[in-house]
Amino acid sequence: MPRTTSPWEALPLWPNQFEAIRTCLDYLAAQPTGDALVQMPTGTGKTGVIAVVASTQSKDGLVLVLSPSSALADQLRTDIKMGFWAALKLPKTEADRWAPDSVKELLPSLAEELTTDLRSSSARNVLVGTFQALQQIRREKSKFYGFLKAKCQLVIVDEGHREPAPEWADAIRVLERPTILFTATPYRN
């Protein structure tokens, strides 16, 4: 039976990015109970794969994207919101169609605002933050953490080789959601 083409396959991506996206979507289609690891060397388009997967999966519910530092989280938020889509040189209407409707910063101080926004939204939502922010939310904002656990459909972790740090891993794993770890570094666990 011939394979059907998905809309993302029309994007001007590199072959390795197509392969990584297919791997991620196959993992999610299998209704996983464990994590997936995508290893892509530096400079091979990992951020683009994260942007496409986050955008396509946000139609089914909230996607949480985590990284070990606020600088990386800021960069990811910018790229997922519009930077990656603009870099593809897509026409504005096409870029707007691909970019999630809402890409916001995950911070403990924004817990109430994010809860209100996410409760009233049926849009494609992505939250981007650090492992530390999620850990602090779990420790200090348990009601919001429970809300995230209920709304979140997918966790994407950039610099996934750092996720095994015990407290960070627990904050992610207790969400009990499919998790895709991206890394350019061989997995340390």
Side-chain angles (χ1 to χ4, degrees), residues 5-13 18 21 25 47-59 63 77-103 123-126:
T5 303
S6 298
W8 57 267
E9 290 178 298
L11 291 171
L13 302 174
F18 287 124
I21 294 166
L25 298 180
T47 300
V49 173
I50 291 171
V52 172
V53 173
S55 180
T56 59
Q57 295 305 296
S58 66
K59 70 181 177 6
V63 173
R77 195 172 49 259
T78 298
D79 286 339
I80 294 168
K81 187 179 225 169
M82 191 51 72
F84 171 71
W85 312 107
L88 291 179
K89 301 195 183 324
L90 298 174
K92 173 106 172 81
T93 55
E94 188 73 6
D96 288 344
R97 186 174 73 86
W98 274 104
D101 299 320
S102 171
V103 181
R124 297 179 307 144
N125 294 293
V126 176

Side-chain angles (χ1 to χ4, degrees), residues 156-172:
I156 296 174
V157 178
D158 191 17
E159 299 292 324
H161 58 282
R162 297 184 187 199
E163 185 266 353
E167 290 183 10
W168 293 351
D170 285 346
I172 294 168

